[in-house]
Amino acid sequence: MDAEQKELKDKVVAAIKTVFDPEIPVDVYELGLIYEINFFPVNNVHVLMTLTSPSCPAAEEIPGDVEKAVKQVEGINDVQVELTFDPPFTQDMMSEAAKLELGFL
């Protein structure tokens, strides 16, 4: 990954960090819901993510919010968000900051 791609990825991550699960006061990136961020030619982005549960009440909102946030990043051409439940989400996927915020540390 060259410096330009790294800078773009940092901007994409920052955009994703503006998306929160409405029931949890931690952004979806720190929660560990983002499994992969891949870039393809002409700055197309593919985000592979999960939710805290398949029955999450915000299941329809969160992936759309992630897509909208990433599309706002200057230089991004197109965004595809793919939802998966394999592997299923566990608390081990959370960052230290998320665990601290939620009182798990």
Side-chain angles (χ1 to χ4, degrees):
M1 182 177 285
D2 65 23
E4 188 176 311
Q5 286 175 317
K6 170 135 179 38
E7 182 180 339
L8 192 57
K9 183 172 183 174
D10 290 346
K11 288 179 181 177
V12 167
V13 168
I16 291 171
K17 285 184 174 188
T18 67
V19 179
F20 287 76
D21 182 315
E23 298 180 341
I24 304 170
V26 176
D27 69 79
V28 296
Y29 189 85
E30 296 295 339
L31 274 175
L33 300 181
I34 305 299
Y35 288 167
E36 293 179 15
I37 301 171
N38 296 302
F39 291 86
F40 296 97
V42 202
N43 295 338
N44 293 318
V45 179
H46 175 261
V47 178
L48 181 64
M49 68 174 294
T50 194
L51 298 170
T52 54
S53 149
S55 59
C56 174
E60 293 180 16
E61 292 173 35
I62 295 174
D65 290 347
V66 169
E67 181 179 340
K68 284 181 209 161
V70 175
K71 279 185 176 177
Q72 298 295 319
V73 175
E74 187 176 335
I76 295 297
N77 183 39
D78 192 31
V79 180
Q80 179 188 16
V81 176
E82 181 181 349
L83 203 53
T84 185
F85 292 99
D86 184 30
F89 172 79
T90 66
Q91 292 179 358
D92 293 339
M93 296 172 173
M94 288 189 245
S95 70
E96 294 291 316
K99 290 177 182 175
L100 188 63
E101 176 73 27
L102 296 173
F104 293 126
L105 289 179

